[in-house]
Amino acid sequence: MFSESTRCIVLVGAQWGDEGKGKITDVLAEQATIVARYQGGANAGHTVEVGDEQFILHLIPSGALYPTVRCLLGNGVVIDPWTLAEEVEMLEGRGIDIARRLGISWRAHLVLPYHKLLDGASESSRGVQIGTTRRGIGPAYRDKVARAGIRVCDLADLSAVRSTIDDRCAWANNRLSAFGSAERANATEIMDGLEAVAPGLLANAVEVGDEIRVELDSGGRALLEGAQGSLLDVDHGTYPFVTSSNTTAGGAAVGVGIGPTLIDDVLGVVKAYTTRVGNGPLPTELEGEAAEHLRVLGGEYGATTGRPRRPGWFDGVVVRHAAAVNGLTALAVTKLDVLDTFDELRLGVAYELEDAEQSGFPPRTEQLDSVRPVYETLPGWNASTTDCRKIEALPENARAYLSRIESVSGVPIRYVSVGSGRTQIVTL
Ligand code: IMP
C-alpha cells in the first residue's frame, strides 16, 4: 500500500471497533518507518499474533513488534501512565525493545485515577449505560476540553501540578459522592504515583508532529493508527453510545499534529461481518443461537474487558457512512475465514424506516433502533480459506461475497485477512 507517492496512510476501523486493526497495522508496519496512535487510550485492545506468540496492546501502537519502527503516541491520545509503564515492561520482558523506540507527545493528556473512578461511578449511576471500558477515557477527554487536564509536559514541574490535582480531586470526590460511590481520589497518592512515572514519560517526550514531518521529508513512511471504530466517533458515530474522541481520519491530523494535506491514503478495516461491544444501536444484530454461533466461531470477546461482543451481519449502510466520513480510499476485510462454514450469508444493503428507504445513516438512536435492514442473501462457500494467499485461490462464492462488499461500500478492497497469523493475508 505504501509507495513513492503514498507515504502517509491513516488506518481506521470502519465499524464499531475490534475490526482487526492490530493485525492490519502489523502487516503495514513492515513497510513503515513510523507508526503513530492519534486518539483513544487504554480502552483499545489490539491483538497481534507473531508465530506462536500473541500480544495484546492497549496503548502502544501495533507497529511495536517490528524492531526498526519508531512508535509514537500523539497529542490526541489520552495516556494512563501506569498502564503505559506496564505495557513497556511487558514488551521488554518478552524481548521487544520498545523503550528506546517510543516517543510520547508533550501535549498528550493524562488519564489519572480520578478519571477511572468517575468513569465507573457515572456508568453505574446512568439510567441507560454506555457500556464504557471504565478506563477513564470520557472523564479524561472531558477535563481536556474543559481546560482542566494534566499533560505530559506538565510533569516537568510537578510542584506546579499539585494545585490542579488538588482541585480535580476535590471536584471528582464531589461527583463521586453525588453518584453514590464510596470511592475517593487521593491527591497525595496521585502525586506520589506521578513522581514515580514522570522520569520515564519525560525521557520519551517529543514533538510528535515535527518527528513525522521530518521523517516524511526525508523519504520515510508513516502509518497513523486509529483505535476503536468510525461508528464510535464522538461526532459521526451512534451518539451517545460512542467513545469520547474523533476516531475517524480527520482526527488523525489533529491527533498527531500534522496538516491533513500530508495524508495520502485512508485504509478502512472492516470485519466480514459486524460486531459491537457495549450498548447502543446495531441494526443488523443477530440474536439467540445464531449470535452465539458467530461469537464462538469468531472468538468475539473483548480484548480489553473480556466482554462478549454482539455479532451481526455485514452492514453496508454502516460501511458506506464510514467511507464517506473518512474519505476511505481502500478497505481491508478481516476474518473472512470465520464465515467458511456458513451455507448462506446475509448482507445489509439499505435501511427502511417507516416503510421508506433511508438515503443515509440516521443520526438518532431511536431511528437506528427502528430501522429495518434490507438484506441480500448470498450463498456461502463451505470451504476453508485459511491457506489462501491469492485472490484466485479463494472459493468463487467468497470472491462474490467480497465483490458485493466492495460495490455496496463503494470502496475497493486491498487486503483480505483469512486468519490471525501475520502471513494469513491476501493482497489485491
Ligand atoms: P469508552 O471508550 O471506554 O468510553 O467506551 C465507550 C464505548 O466505546 C463503549 O461502547 C465501549 O465498549 C466502546 N469501545 C471503547 N474502546 C473500544 C475498542 O477498542 N473496541 C471496541 N469498542 C470499544
Side-chain angles (χ1 to χ4, degrees), residues 16-19 21 37 39-46 57-58 119 123 129-139 141 227-229 231-233 238 240-245 247 275-280 302-305 307 309-310:
W16 276 278
D18 307 319
E19 297 92 348
K21 295 180 293 297
R37 278 266 314 259
Q39 47 69 233
N43 49 349
H46 293 162
L57 303 172
H58 297 286
D119 198 359
E123 269 288 274
Q129 298 196 349
I130 305 286
T132 74
T133 58
R134 300 183 181 228
R135 296 294 190 272
I137 305 301
Y141 278 114
Q228 291 83 48
L231 277 292
L232 289 172
D233 182 286
T238 47
F241 299 96
V242 293
T243 191
S244 299
S245 61
T247 58
T275 60
R276 161 163 216 169
V277 61
N279 298 328
T304 300
T305 57
R307 290 180 289 175
R309 297 180 184 140
R310 298 157 58 196

Side-chain angles (χ1 to χ4, degrees), residues 81-141:
W82 299 279
T83 303
L84 180 62
E86 270 169 30
E87 210 163 294
V88 169
E89 203 179 309
M90 178 275 289
L91 285 172
E92 292 276 339
R94 292 176 68 181
I96 312 283
D97 70 330
I98 184 63
R100 70 177 177 85
R101 290 186 285 125
L102 183 65
I104 304 167
S105 170
W106 290 109
R107 298 162 200 277
H109 281 247
L110 301 184
V111 179
L112 295 172
Y114 47 83
H115 294 131
K116 291 199 226 174
L117 294 178
L118 286 169
D119 198 359
S122 68
E123 269 288 274
S124 304
S125 72
R126 264 178 185 266
V128 180
Q129 298 196 349
I130 305 286
T132 74
T133 58
R134 300 183 181 228
R135 296 294 190 272
I137 305 301
Y141 278 114

